[in-house]
Amino acid sequence: MMTELSPDIRTALERQAIELPSWAFGNSGTRFRVFGTPGTPRDPFEKIADAAQVHAYTALAPTVALHIPWDMCDFDDLRKHAEDHGVALGTINSNTFQDEDYKFGALTHEDDEIRQKAIDHHFACIDVMHASGSRDLKIWLAEGSNYPGQNDMRARQDRLQDSLQQIYARLGDDQRLVLEYKFFEPAFYHTDVPDWGTSYAQVSALGDKAMVCLDTGHHAPGTNIEFIVMQLLRLGKLGSFDFNSRFYADDDLIVGAADPFQLFRILFEVVRGGGLNNPDVAFMLDQCHNIEDKIPGQIRSVLNVQEMTARALLVDRDALAAAQTANDVLAANAVFMDAFYTDVRPALAQWRESRGLPADPMAAYAASGYQQRIAADRVGGVQAGWGA
Ligand code: PSV
Ligand code: MN
């Protein structure tokens, strides 16, 4: 018998929005090789057109995050172009990891001139946000050290706080800053924002408009990420997710691909903690499609999030609470697992059709001919990729 989705669940799913990263549509790879794919966008306008395809087939991805300077262009034009394609511009990502000056740090650098240059870059990002209509500035820092004794870690925390304060002071009333953490890479010994606690300490000292960004791929193997989700929601500081999945390091693979159960557990804590469809908690993808086609890769990704959200919403919370109160360990676990093992795909397909969407967005996109069209049309020019 097909699982039914209650009206409440359908309403929650209908409101779900997942932001796409512009860089997912460009070429990417590893340090060994970046493989191009036919039809890869040559500029931010083509990236937006591709992102709009994901939204057209799923109604799940109404906004696109930009990366500065990779997506530098006329933002009034880009904003209009996005609107014409049925999407809007989203989070602005700063970039302090590809400039010679930042070899030893950016917002933590001991040289005031270099640190100021990095702060000024964030001011420029805030200017972009005014033009693009974006609310959030996302900061991920590639800073740290490779060898014990190389740096004064504490002094770097102090300089980071000072830099962030200056950036924070520039934000408009409706703008926010989200600070992402990552436990290693490119620095291998210490990272200046390695974990949620450091991000939390840094943003808490700034104020209400500063929040933590949790990238699911930025934890050591075995980390209980859903605990962090619970804690940040409890503290009112979960600003955004960067969804992706990992097997080994920061793999940036399709969310839900490596460990669907982990995604379910995370989304259950989101639902339980009031983070679903909560404007304070932005859902974003941060992924790269190194060998697969990018647009269907993104369609698969948003569908994976939708599917696991539906399963998380199916958890019988009353039964779970009763079993927990009774300390009935196995019953509580069974309630949880029942929802995880429920195949919601047929119900989701039917519900999509009832809303005028394709039952199978992957198949509908494949049949549309768009992939062949961009491969034939986008000849010449330089394909966007790491660095553009
Ligand atoms: C680098 O690790 C990274 O993947 C971070 O997660 C950022 O969010 C992303 O790049 C874009 O700068
Ligand atoms: Mn990220």
Side-chain angles (χ1 to χ4, degrees), residues 23 67 70 93-94 97 138 140 180 182 185 215 218 242 244 250 252 286 386:
W23 55 98
H67 217 294
W70 300 343
N93 289 254
S94 62
F97 49 88
K138 190 175 92 192
W140 170 70
E180 181 172 350
K182 179 173 174 178
E185 200 200 22
D215 183 312
H218 288 189
D242 269 4
N244 52 50
D250 187 21
D252 282 340
D286 177 13
W386 189 239

Side-chain angles (χ1 to χ4, degrees), residues 264-303:
F264 168 80
R265 300 191 312 262
I266 289 172
L267 287 166
F268 175 71
E269 287 304 330
V270 170
V271 169
R272 201 193 164 287
L276 185 65
N277 301 327
N278 175 341
D280 288 347
V281 185
F283 276 35
M284 302 185 282
L285 302 182
D286 177 13
Q287 295 182 181
C288 293
H289 302 289
N290 298 351
I291 53 169
E292 66 276 26
D293 280 339
K294 299 156 200 333
I295 299 169
Q298 291 281 288
I299 293 176
R300 166 62 65 220
S301 306
V302 295
L303 293 177

Side-chain angles (χ1 to χ4, degrees), residues 19 78 126 144 168 170 175 179 189-190 195 210-211 219 261 282 284 307 314 344 360 373-374 380:
E19 187 160 298
L78 193 67
I126 294 171
Y168 186 82
R170 273 283 179 120
Q175 294 178 335
L179 181 63
Y189 166 58
H190 108 274
D195 50 30
M211 313 272 276
H219 306 85
F261 183 41
M284 302 185 282
E307 192 181 320
L314 277 175
V344 291
D360 181 349
R373 249 188 341 268
I374 55 174

